[in-house]
Amino acid sequence: MPDPEQRLIVLSGPSGVGKSTVVAELRRAHPDVWLSVSATTRAPRPGEVDGVQYHFVTDEEFDRLIADGELLEWARFAGNRYGTPRRPVEERLSSGLPVLLEIELQGARQIRETMPEALHVFLAPPSWEELVRRLTGRGTESEEVIRRRLEAAKVELASEKEFDTTLVNTSVQDVCAELLALITASEV
Ligand code: 5GP
């Protein structure tokens, strides 16, 4: 029997690359694929529902989750904390079912340490220019914020070599199909 950790797929990549769009499309088109729902201290955005995109928790609740060892990994990102609840992931994996985590780089590195058999997938932008275009996007952020995000993106892009495979986000549909193929392959 294959190691249950081999069914764990970690999707990561620079902010602005479109990870959450890919995951939203996967939820819509393939509700059968099980996605871990993270806990976060950030406030819900319009349209986000507690328990669907995230479990929205207070700082105190997040402290408790850490103290009780209930998170598989966690990280600070842009002033908030994000973490993967341990139990649902472990239950799925021990039943032999695939699990998809969509997390940022520091969390992916923790998983690399604690669950070495997981498959790490890097979502890359089609080009640096395209990432700049997406991060500059709505044109609502100050130049300073955009500059900091681009600096962070450079660091994140340099981490690609730590990953087992790269998917280039040319189209959301294509990336979803490629991710599904990886998930299906993990079930064999
Ligand atoms: P957002 O606030 O835009 O939903 O997410 C910000 C970043 O946090 C994204 O890069 C997302 O992948 C990451 N993230 C979401 N959930 C988790 C988690 O449970 N752990 C870690 N380490 N990162 C997460």
Side-chain angles (χ1 to χ4, degrees):
M1 162 147 174
D3 187 328
E5 282 179 21
Q6 289 175 1
R7 295 198 175 85
L8 179 60
I9 294 167
V10 179
L11 178 68
S12 200
S15 62
V17 77
K19 286 183 307 241
S20 54
T21 313
V22 166
V23 165
E25 172 61 12
L26 202 64
R27 276 184 203 283
R28 191 196 61 76
H30 299 278
D32 49 310
V33 173
W34 193 81
L35 277 151
S36 162
V37 179
S38 299
T40 182
T41 57
R42 89 151 158 74
R45 295 185 184 129
E48 286 183 332
V49 176
D50 188 34
V52 178
Q53 286 82 9
Y54 285 105
H55 300 290
F56 296 99
V57 300
T58 60
D59 261 317
E60 294 68 31
E61 176 66 3
F62 205 95
D63 288 341
R64 191 196 65 74
L65 292 172
I66 296 172
D68 292 350
E70 289 188 24
L71 299 177
L72 207 53
E73 59 73 35
W74 70 273
R76 289 179 201 283
F77 185 89
N80 289 297
R81 290 183 290 174
Y82 298 80
T84 303
R86 179 188 300 279
R87 197 157 2 115
V89 170
E90 289 183 346
E91 279 173 6
R92 293 273 312 180
L93 291 177
S94 61
S95 313
L97 297 166
V99 163
L100 180 63
L101 304 185
E102 183 252 298
I103 60 180
E104 52 66 71
L105 183 61
Q106 305 160 65
R109 285 178 174 153
Q110 292 171 45
I111 298 286
R112 167 74 75 212
E113 291 292 313
T114 56
M115 302 176 91
E117 298 302 321
L119 180 75
H120 287 251
V121 181
F122 188 82
L123 189 62
S127 65
W128 171 251
E129 289 69 29
E130 179 61 18
L131 189 66
V132 172
R133 201 183 64 74
R134 289 184 194 180
L135 279 173
T136 318
R138 296 161 296 179
T140 47
E141 271 94 11
S142 69
E143 267 182 34
E144 174 59 14
V145 168
I146 291 171
R147 194 190 60 75
R148 274 170 37 201
R149 284 194 190 192
L150 289 173
E151 281 304 310
K154 271 188 205 156
V155 174
E156 290 168 323
L157 276 177
S159 74
E160 179 182 347
K161 54 188 177 303
E162 296 172 31
F163 287 75
D164 300 310
T165 184
T166 293
L167 301 180
V168 179
N169 194 6
T170 42
S171 101
V172 174
Q173 270 71 25
D174 288 354
V175 171
C176 272
E178 287 161 358
L179 256 184
L180 270 176
L182 291 174
I183 292 166
T184 311
S186 83
E187 288 178 285
V188 177

